[in-house]
Amino acid sequence: MSATTDQHPRLTPVDIQRRKSGPPVVCLTAYTTPMARLVDQSCDLVLVGDSLGMVLHGLPSTVGVTMQMMILHGQAVARGITQACLVVDMPFGSYEAAPDQAFRNAAQIIAETGCQAVKLEGGAHMAETVRFLVDRGIPVMGHVGLTPQSVNALGGYKVQGRGKEAERVARDAAMLEQAGAFAVVLEKLPAELGTRITAEIGVPTIGIGAGAGCDGQILVLDDMLGLFADFRPKFVRRYAEMGLTAAEAIAAYAEDVRAGRFPGPEHSFSESRAT
Ligand code: KIV
């Protein structure tokens, strides 16, 4: 049973797939209800990315993210989405062993969050699993290039697909399309490879650090809002400096408390939530 009570139809994976060579597909991540409400106003697709492990939970990589974490945040985001297509990441270890393992976990994510699709990482070696899910009614978004769940095998968060590696990444994307993925995320690739794959496959490519030639773009919301002072990936344009604004606000509050300028009961947490 779906966790949501939608009045308005959201965009579907089929709508996103039809955007190939149409208006660029606008995507962002979200992990909480309030942020989902904001993102939903401007985005076609909202991803509950497993980046939440690093962004929200302070993990050193996405490898430690669990099904429980994805479902909890997926449910929170679903409460804030009325129009965008909602996709939830499958966490590391929940889909790689076998197609039926992937089906059980993907079905649980969809049933318990009310999302419309799952995303999983990996190219040619995941094609059989993608086909298995798609044939059983689960729309899948692929993810090739830099696949952060494989950080231990890749030896870091490096640009992928340089030189001879380009052929392998292009083949990965093509195999996901053939397996029935409705869109494919291209992460950290040379811009010319992003453009090439976009021309070669028939479903939308969603770039993150893969150049402007993709059919759509995605960023981690907290990165583009500038919530972190110490983390500045080169490909992320900051649209705000919310980390600094928050630090200033917290410092101003601390100053007020220390100076005895404390608000009255009308500003208590429960009071302000109830109104
Ligand atoms: O986990 C994530 O947030 C992602 C993207 C940003 C593509 O996979």
Side-chain angles (χ1 to χ4, degrees):
M1 194 176 60
S2 165
T4 62
T5 52
D6 286 356
Q7 301 292 316
H8 315 278
R10 293 181 192 148
L11 289 177
T12 66
V14 174
D15 295 323
I16 301 296
Q17 185 167 349
R18 289 194 182 123
R19 294 277 289 274
K20 181 72 187 173
S21 308
V25 187
V26 182
C27 315
L28 278 173
T29 64
Y31 316 124
T32 63
T33 309
M35 286 304 188
R37 287 197 181 115
L38 292 177
V39 164
D40 188 50
Q41 295 169 24
S42 301
C43 288
D44 303 308
L45 185 148
V46 175
L47 172 70
V48 184
D50 64 349
S51 49
L52 63 82
M54 300 170 81
V55 174
L56 291 191
H57 295 270
L59 294 175
S61 74
T62 56
V63 172
V65 174
T66 63
M67 281 284 290
Q68 239 185 340
M69 288 161 82
M70 294 313 301
I71 288 172
L72 191 68
H73 288 285
Q75 289 170 338
V77 171
R79 289 182 205 113
I81 300 288
T82 59
Q83 70 88 29
C85 177
L86 178 58
V87 181
V88 174
D89 258 344
M90 297 196 73
F92 178 67
S94 71
Y95 61 93
E96 300 89 331
D100 68 325
Q101 178 212 23
F103 179 79
R104 261 184 284 110
N105 287 319
Q108 188 184 352
I109 289 173
I110 289 194
E112 294 187 18
T113 66
C115 72
Q116 291 134 300
V118 294
K119 176 167 81 59
L120 54 80
E121 296 183 6
H125 66 287
M126 290 312 304
E128 184 195 350
T129 294
V130 171
R131 172 50 65 200
F132 192 87
L133 298 185
V134 171
D135 284 351
R136 285 158 182 77
I138 297 184
V140 179
M141 192 175 191
H143 184 156
V144 301
L146 175 65
T147 47
Q149 292 175 7
S150 306
V151 62
N152 293 320
L154 295 172
Y157 298 100
K158 301 175 204 152
V159 175
Q160 303 292 307
R162 286 209 168 113
K164 286 186 191 142
E165 279 292 290
E167 292 311 315
R168 183 187 53 76
V169 181
R171 182 166 167 272
D172 280 342
M175 294 214 37
L176 291 177
E177 180 204 0
Q178 282 159 28
F182 72 89
V184 180
V185 169
L186 306 180
E187 180 159 358
K188 241 179 171 182
L189 299 178
E192 55 284 9
L193 182 56
T195 304
R196 172 187 157 186
I197 294 173
T198 302
E200 285 179 0
I201 70 173
V203 295
T205 56
I206 308 297
I208 172 161
C214 300
D215 296 300
Q217 298 291 334
I218 187 162
L219 287 176
V220 170
L221 179 67
D222 301 54
D223 291 344
M224 59 82 81
L225 291 179
L227 274 159
F228 303 106
D230 53 346
F231 181 65
R232 288 181 170 265
K234 279 197 212 109
F235 58 82
V236 177
R237 176 170 160 203
R238 286 196 171 191
Y239 289 80
E241 290 292 347
M242 288 185 60
L244 291 179
T245 308
E248 279 164 18
I250 293 162
Y253 162 76
E255 218 176 288
D256 274 353
V257 173
R258 289 191 184 108
R261 293 189 294 268
F262 204 69
E266 71 278 12
H267 291 294
S268 79
F269 178 83
S270 51
E271 192 92 19
S272 52
R273 289 273 171 248
T275 54

